[in-house]
Amino acid sequence: MGLIALGHKNPDTDSIISPMIVSHYSDSLFGRHAVAKRAGELNNETKFILNYLTDSTIKLPDLLDKIRAEEVILVDTTEQTQLIEGVNENNLFAIIDHHNLGGLKSSKPVYARIEPLGCTCTILYKILKEKNLEITQEVACLLASAIISDTLFLNSPTTTDEDRTILKELNKIAELDLEEYSMEMFKAKSSLEGIETNEIIEKDYKFFEMGKSKVGIGVWETVAPETVNEKKAEILNALKNKKQKDDLDYLFFGVVDIIKENTYLYLVGDEETNLAKEIFKGNLEDNVMFAEHIVSRKKQIVPQLKEKLE
Amino acid sequence: MGLIALGHKNPDTDSIISPMIVSHYSDSLFGRHAVAKRAGELNNETKFILNYLTDSTIKLPDLLDKIRAEEVILVDTTEQTQLIEGVNENNLFAIIDHHNLGGLKSSKPVYARIEPLGCTCTILYKILKEKNLEITQEVACLLASAIISDTLFLNSPTTTDEDRTILKELNKIAELDLEEYSMEMFKAKSSLEGIETNEIIEKDYKFFEMGKSKVGIGVWETVAPETVNEKKAEILNALKNKKQKDDLDYLFFGVVDIIKENTYLYLVGDEETNLAKEIFKGNLEDNVMFAEHIVSRKKQIVPQLKEKLE
């Protein structure tokens, strides 16, 4: 049976690069060949990174929409709602992740390595080092890029000292100008080139079940929030449509200013507005709340919503 | 908040020794002190091991019946049904295990290390080695004992090459006569001294939900199956009572001959008998089926039952 390495839907950089790295080393790590796959389209940040590493020897993941007969090395999530169709307890082979446990079961013992670090690629680096596997400049660049992306260049509250140390170690091999490279990455991520309004709200979107409520949370991380905010009317309209279409109880969308470390939280209805007032207590103007010092969905939005809704 | 290391209910040797080791090294492993606890009484095998290591510096786990305000490092299981009251997604701090994923959730990212190896203590040895932590003779004896116990001295089908290699490495420090020591352990485990019939069926008992069925499976591993089999009438009676009391759909009890590597499977009703006939196809005599080459609940009983019942 084939073996694939796969991240979550609406893949961010970590959910693209982690399967690439797992696949590249899978013979050494698991004694089997694994093919990297992706559960959605590349975002502009990931495209920038992969373009930057022009002479790549590491294969880009192909798109996959559902599991047929493959076994799965799952990276960067264990939430059933973030998986493509067909991942189940019978084809789960391994897990590498840095999020909350999502409650997956397996019908046989699996290999699972989960750590409360800023990025799946931080864990992958640790594994490669423990196994004394060679880390080339290309691999170091890929791992460093994912860590920069997930931790907002070590500024997100999900960042740990291990992420800091490991990014430094990686850059001895990668030899990037980290400040400049990060800024280029974030500019690419912020670019609205070729992006429809619907994509802005869907590109980094996750669905959660909290108590009895169906909750959607999209974020758009950017160095230029004004480029998104000037489309406010369109975005609110798109959110309204999505909430109805997906039959959600709550839908939140945050434009995250990764330089100033604030979030513009778009509130599509009264339910969202009332909850946001209770939790984030920011200034509200025309359905958008300005939430200071909020940058992380994982640490600063999801747990707070869960506490209210569960 | 206090931190504890804890295994499953009806603890076997691995579920006692793993919390002891985790607690002993928890400052280095997790940057926090963790106290070892146990979720049930010691069996005669574990008592033998702990008596053998008379000058122990490692504290014996105290009994715990429910979680109050503690955070939990869970070892040797992730099945909700095998946990004491109060372990939940809010107090889960870490997991180290070698079984199927049981579907636990966590409300924050945890540290989880799960590997398809023969024993939790095999994984603990790998972790200690990766972190360059000192393994004393006492620690080596404890780890080796748990590996011998869980793998039936490397004879169970759950045994991997890594278990074999690591037991050998450990014994360079432990300096046990492995053959003789294992036999002493198994004799102690087989001893019925001070054991009531109810305890025989409950000592290594696990509860599973398979599809809509509530399934109990107890095993008694012994070098002298005749000492148990001569109590057949009493045992079948005790099983009948337990099945009714716990409102089970199926209750199986296996007397595992760990020398000859066979199991005497006690079948309390028609439901169990019909399933066992389909799956194990052994010789049936007076409600006991002789199942050849069956020694592992995890590999040779649970998955086969699940396939039929789910």
Side-chain angles (χ1 to χ4, degrees):
Chain A
M1 200 188 299
L3 182 62
I4 61 169
L6 182 76
H8 55 71
K9 285 190 200 168
N10 304 305
D12 58 3
T13 293
D14 192 25
S15 254
I16 296 295
I17 289 182
S18 292
M20 291 168 71
I21 299 294
V22 166
S23 160
H24 189 64
Y25 290 98
S26 67
D27 287 310
S28 307
L29 294 178
F30 298 108
R32 282 176 67 181
H33 182 61
V35 181
K37 297 284 180 185
R38 60 186 160 89
E41 296 305 334
L42 301 181
N43 67 31
N44 281 341
E45 180 193 68
T46 314
K47 281 183 193 162
F48 163 80
I49 294 163
L50 299 178
N51 281 335
Y52 186 92
L53 307 166
T54 41
D55 52 349
S56 177
T57 58
I58 298 182
K59 212 186 152 296
L60 246 180
D62 290 326
L63 188 64
L64 194 71
D65 63 341
K66 82 187 234 201
I67 301 295
R68 286 161 186 94
E70 299 90 350
E71 285 187 288
V72 180
I73 302 170
L74 188 63
V75 297
D76 200 32
T77 186
T78 62
E79 292 280 349
Q80 190 71 52
T81 55
Q82 293 165 18
L83 306 179
I84 59 170
E85 196 187 326
V87 181
N88 63 45
E89 59 185 294
N90 295 314
N91 52 31
L92 208 56
F93 179 80
I95 296 171
I96 303 169
D97 186 26
H98 69 122
H99 295 87
N100 304 357
L101 298 179
L104 288 184
K105 294 184 178 193
S106 70
S107 59
K108 55 180 187 302
V110 301
Y111 173 96
R113 175 85 172 243
I114 301 170
E115 297 194 38
L117 298 176
C119 181
T120 309
C121 280
T122 309
I123 306 170
L124 286 175
Y125 173 79
K126 291 176 71 175
I127 295 173
L128 299 181
K129 234 184 124 181
E130 283 160 15
K131 301 247 175 199
N132 288 313
L133 293 167
E134 195 206 345
I135 297 175
T136 61
Q137 188 173 21
E138 183 190 0
V139 168
C141 283
L142 286 167
L143 292 171
S145 301
I147 294 171
I148 292 167
S149 168
D150 255 24
T151 64
L152 303 175
F153 192 29
L154 308 177
N155 282 317
S156 165
T158 59
T159 313
T160 68
D161 286 343
E162 261 187 296
D163 296 299
R164 290 177 218 285
T165 309
I166 284 173
L167 180 58
K168 207 180 278 180
E169 275 185 48
L170 277 169
N171 205 37
K172 284 184 195 155
I173 310 169
E175 296 183 332
L176 295 161
D177 179 331
L178 286 181
E179 295 275 346
E180 194 189 310
Y181 180 73
S182 300
M183 193 44 78
E184 292 297 318
M185 270 177 55
F186 295 150
K187 271 191 209 151
K189 174 187 260 175
S190 308
S191 160
L192 295 183
E193 200 183 308
I195 308 252
E196 306 281 330
T197 306
N198 262 328
E199 286 179 71
I200 297 177
I201 64 172
E202 301 260 13
K203 204 71 184 173
D204 186 357
Y205 170 81
K206 291 187 178 178
F207 171 77
F208 301 88
E209 284 175 356
M210 300 185 181
K212 286 178 184 159
S213 299
K214 294 161 73 178
V215 183
I217 311 175
V219 294
W220 182 266
E221 296 174 341
T222 178
V223 294
E226 63 284 1
T227 58
V228 185
N229 286 337
E230 67 192 18
K231 294 175 189 279
K232 184 160 82 173
E234 276 178 68
I235 290 175
L236 282 167
N237 202 36
L239 290 170
K240 211 167 284 176
N241 289 337
K242 181 173 176 62
K243 187 177 171 186
Q244 196 169 25
K245 184 170 65 84
D246 292 1
D247 194 22
L248 297 170
D249 297 301
Y250 300 91
L251 173 57
F252 295 93
F253 173 66
V255 178
V256 183
D257 183 335
I258 56 186
I259 302 295
K260 297 198 181 132
E261 303 187 15
N262 299 311
T263 286
Y264 298 85
L265 197 60
Y266 282 59
L267 302 165
V268 70
D270 290 343
E271 303 82 12
E272 288 85 356
T273 305
N274 291 335
L275 256 184
K277 275 183 182 169
E278 260 188 87
I279 296 173
F280 302 107
K281 303 182 173 69
N283 277 334
L284 188 65
E285 205 184 303
D286 286 349
N287 300 96
V288 176
M289 179 178 281
F290 180 70
E292 273 193 289
H293 311 307
I294 301 286
V295 290
S296 166
R297 172 170 50 198
K298 183 163 90 170
K299 284 241 171 176
Q300 298 176 302
I301 299 179
V302 170
Q304 289 73 1
L305 284 172
K306 275 194 162 179
E307 206 190 314
K308 291 283 172 197
L309 296 173
E310 285 186 349
Chain B
M1 200 188 296
L3 182 63
I4 62 169
L6 181 76
H8 55 72
K9 286 190 202 170
N10 305 305
D12 58 3
T13 293
D14 192 25
S15 255
I16 297 294
I17 289 181
S18 292
M20 291 168 69
I21 299 295
V22 167
S23 161
H24 189 63
Y25 289 97
S26 68
D27 287 311
S28 308
L29 295 178
F30 298 109
R32 282 177 66 181
H33 182 61
V35 181
K37 297 284 178 184
R38 61 186 159 89
E41 298 304 334
L42 302 181
N43 68 30
N44 281 340
E45 180 193 68
T46 314
K47 281 183 194 164
F48 162 81
I49 294 163
L50 300 178
N51 281 335
Y52 186 92
L53 308 166
T54 41
D55 52 350
S56 178
T57 59
I58 298 182
K59 211 185 153 300
L60 246 181
D62 290 326
L63 188 64
L64 193 72
D65 64 340
K66 82 187 233 202
I67 302 296
R68 287 162 186 94
E70 299 90 350
E71 285 187 289
V72 180
I73 301 169
L74 188 63
V75 298
D76 199 31
T77 185
T78 61
E79 293 280 347
Q80 191 71 53
T81 54
Q82 291 166 19
L83 305 180
I84 58 170
E85 196 187 327
V87 181
N88 63 45
E89 58 185 296
N90 296 314
N91 53 30
L92 208 56
F93 179 81
I95 296 171
I96 304 168
D97 187 26
H98 68 124
H99 295 88
N100 304 358
L101 298 180
L104 289 184
K105 293 184 179 194
S106 70
S107 59
K108 57 180 186 303
V110 301
Y111 174 96
R113 176 84 172 244
I114 301 171
E115 297 194 38
L117 299 176
C119 181
T120 309
C121 281
T122 309
I123 305 169
L124 286 175
Y125 173 79
K126 291 176 71 177
I127 295 172
L128 300 181
K129 234 184 124 180
E130 282 160 15
K131 301 247 176 200
N132 287 315
L133 293 167
E134 196 205 346
I135 297 174
T136 62
Q137 189 173 21
E138 184 188 0
V139 168
C141 283
L142 286 168
L143 292 171
S145 300
I147 295 171
I148 292 167
S149 169
D150 255 23
T151 64
L152 303 175
F153 192 30
L154 308 176
N155 282 318
S156 164
T158 59
T159 313
T160 68
D161 286 342
E162 262 188 296
D163 296 298
R164 289 176 218 285
T165 308
I166 285 174
L167 180 58
K168 208 180 277 180
E169 275 185 48
L170 277 169
N171 205 38
K172 285 184 195 156
I173 310 170
E175 296 183 333
L176 296 161
D177 179 332
L178 286 181
E179 295 275 346
E180 193 189 311
Y181 181 73
S182 301
M183 194 42 78
E184 292 297 317
M185 271 177 56
F186 296 149
K187 272 191 208 150
K189 173 186 259 176
S190 308
S191 159
L192 294 183
E193 199 183 309
I195 308 250
E196 306 281 330
T197 306
N198 262 327
E199 287 179 70
I200 297 176
I201 64 172
E202 300 260 13
K203 204 72 185 174
D204 186 357
Y205 171 81
K206 291 187 178 178
F207 172 76
F208 301 87
E209 284 176 356
M210 300 185 182
K212 287 179 183 157
S213 300
K214 295 161 71 177
V215 183
I217 312 175
V219 293
W220 181 267
E221 296 174 342
T222 178
V223 294
E226 62 284 1
T227 59
V228 186
N229 286 337
E230 66 193 19
K231 294 174 190 277
K232 183 160 83 173
E234 276 177 67
I235 289 175
L236 281 167
N237 202 37
L239 289 169
K240 212 167 283 176
N241 290 337
K242 178 170 178 65
K243 186 177 171 185
Q244 197 169 24
K245 183 169 66 80
D246 293 359
D247 193 24
L248 297 169
D249 297 300
Y250 299 91
L251 174 57
F252 294 93
F253 174 67
V255 178
V256 183
D257 183 335
I258 54 186
I259 302 296
K260 297 196 182 132
E261 302 186 18
N262 299 311
T263 288
Y264 297 86
L265 196 61
Y266 281 59
L267 302 165
V268 69
D270 290 344
E271 302 82 11
E272 288 85 355
T273 306
N274 291 335
L275 256 184
K277 275 183 182 167
E278 260 188 87
I279 297 173
F280 302 106
K281 303 183 173 69
N283 277 333
L284 187 65
E285 206 184 303
D286 286 348
N287 300 95
V288 176
M289 178 178 283
F290 180 70
E292 273 193 290
H293 311 306
I294 302 286
V295 290
S296 165
R297 171 171 49 199
K298 183 163 91 171
K299 284 242 170 175
Q300 298 175 302
I301 300 180
V302 170
Q304 290 73 1
L305 283 173
K306 276 194 161 178
E307 205 190 312
K308 291 284 172 197
L309 295 173
E310 285 185 351

